[in-house]
Amino acid sequence: MAFCGNCGSNMAEDARFCTNCGRAVGQASAAPAPARPLEYSIQGDNLQVARIQLKPGQEIFAEAGKMVYKTANVRWETRMSGGTIGDKILGALRRTVMGESLFLTYFHCDGQGEVGFAGNYPGKITVFDLEPGRSVLAQRDAFILAETTVQLNVALVKKLGAGFFGGEGFILEKLTGPGKVFIHGGGDFVEFSLNMGEVLQVNTGCIVAFDESVAYDIEMVGGIKTAIFGGEGLFLATLTGPGRVIVQSMTLEKLRRELAPSRSGGDEHSPLGSLGGILGSED
């Protein structure tokens, strides 16, 4: 697989132009990575904020509604991604499928400025520093911000079982380098670096992100008795290395369920409740 020397997009071996940025193959261009490394810090415990220090010429884009603050000299504009009208429309449709807003917000400044971002519910923020052509897959609401050299696309889960029972459905976010990507998840994070062929089984809703090199599928584990009375369900996500995997301790669905007015309290699972979770729960 070939990659564009300007934006890092995947290209056909015989392509003459990049379909993403329009750069001719072989045309001289600057390195795709930003001239200056993006400076940032992540502060907080379970309500973390990503503080981004922008310099002249640097630009980032973020999911609408994720900004917490900015200095007065930072300018922002909301626009659709893509170089042509067709790309913009296609990008908007993809973002609708992902359950995200139609527009992305872009930030830049002439001098030095700062912007802060956070997730929509208590949790952690982690960063992927992607090389050109390298991709990471994330749950649909995980993306916060990235450098403008990063591509944000939809990834369809290839396995039928993963699509029906994977909690997040067929749709994942695919982010392709080069550049830094900031991802949010609920509660605390546990990170794994899987070796070739190493397998990790995870509650389907607890997956935050994983490298594209990691194989993802859904498998039935345990028996009916365990599923009904154990409260864990029939299916677990199976992740096979090599690659990095990030797991979250709290999902938004669990948080909603615990805060529901009809919640009776306690951690006990009734048989009927567990059976209902098998049929209807997203995690």
Side-chain angles (χ1 to χ4, degrees), residues 30-66:
R36 299 181 183 179
L38 184 69
E39 294 186 10
Y40 68 92
S41 62
I42 298 176
Q43 294 186 358
D45 186 13
N46 285 108
L47 294 164
Q48 290 189 327
V49 175
R51 303 181 60 180
I52 311 299
Q53 287 77 45
L54 290 177
K55 296 181 175 60
Q58 289 184 328
E59 186 178 49
I60 57 174
F61 69 95
E63 180 63 41
K66 297 296 176 69

Side-chain angles (χ1 to χ4, degrees), residues 155-160 162-163 169-172 216:
L156 298 179
V157 175
K158 298 179 181 178
K159 297 294 184 67
L160 187 63
F170 286 96
I171 308 301
L172 294 171
Y216 173 74

Side-chain angles (χ1 to χ4, degrees), residues 125-140:
I125 297 174
T126 191
V127 182
F128 283 84
D129 193 356
L130 302 177
E131 298 84 15
R134 180 190 165 200
S135 298
V136 62
L137 300 177
Q139 65 179 354
R140 288 193 296 174

Side-chain angles (χ1 to χ4, degrees), residues 38-281:
L38 184 69
E39 294 186 10
Y40 68 92
S41 62
I42 298 176
Q43 294 186 358
D45 186 13
N46 285 108
L47 294 164
Q48 290 189 327
V49 175
R51 303 181 60 180
I52 311 299
Q53 287 77 45
L54 290 177
K55 296 181 175 60
Q58 289 184 328
E59 186 178 49
I60 57 174
F61 69 95
E63 180 63 41
K66 297 296 176 69
M67 189 200 77
V68 178
Y69 68 88
K70 71 179 185 69
T71 54
N73 62 332
V74 174
R75 294 194 295 273
W76 58 353
E77 58 178 316
T78 302
R79 60 179 187 256
M80 292 183 179
S81 59
T84 66
I85 296 297
D87 290 339
K88 292 180 187 295
I89 295 175
L90 183 59
L93 292 175
R94 287 173 175 171
R95 292 181 55 72
T96 301
V97 170
M98 289 190 295
E100 306 286 3
S101 60
L102 293 178
F103 298 90
L104 294 168
T105 307
Y106 289 74
F107 299 83
H108 63 276
C109 62
D110 295 330
Q112 294 188 358
E114 182 175 323
V115 192
F117 300 90
N120 292 332
Y121 54 96
K124 296 285 189 180
I125 297 174
T126 191
V127 182
F128 283 84
D129 193 356
L130 302 177
E131 298 84 15
R134 180 190 165 200
S135 298
V136 62
L137 300 177
Q139 65 179 354
R140 288 193 296 174
D141 60 348
F143 173 71
I144 295 183
L145 74 128
E147 296 180 87
T148 51
T149 50
V150 172
Q151 296 180 67
L152 173 60
N153 290 304
V154 175
L156 298 179
V157 175
K158 298 179 181 178
K159 297 294 184 67
L160 187 63
F164 281 117
F165 303 110
E168 299 300 330
F170 286 96
I171 308 301
L172 294 171
E173 293 179 340
K174 181 178 180 180
L175 298 130
T176 304
K180 292 181 175 63
V181 175
F182 293 72
I183 288 174
H184 173 267
D188 285 313
F189 284 170
V190 181
E191 295 196 22
F192 300 88
S193 182
L194 301 181
N195 297 319
M196 179 67 71
E198 186 177 359
V199 177
L200 181 69
Q201 292 181 323
V202 184
N203 185 316
T204 55
C206 291
I207 298 173
V208 178
F210 53 92
D211 287 332
E212 190 179 26
S213 58
V214 175
Y216 173 74
D217 199 4
I218 300 297
E219 293 185 1
M220 181 180 291
V221 294
I224 298 296
K225 179 180 178 181
T226 301
I228 294 178
F229 297 100
E232 300 299 334
L234 279 172
F235 303 95
L236 289 177
T238 300
L239 301 165
T240 306
R244 179 184 179 191
V245 176
I246 299 178
V247 175
Q248 62 187 356
S249 62
M250 173 62 70
T251 67
L252 184 57
E253 182 63 27
K254 285 182 179 179
L255 183 61
R256 288 170 177 162
R257 189 167 63 239
E258 293 297 323
L259 296 177
S262 59
R263 176 75 177 177
S264 60
D267 295 327
E268 295 181 358
H269 297 269
S270 68
L272 293 178
S274 298
L275 183 59
I278 297 172
L279 299 176
S281 175

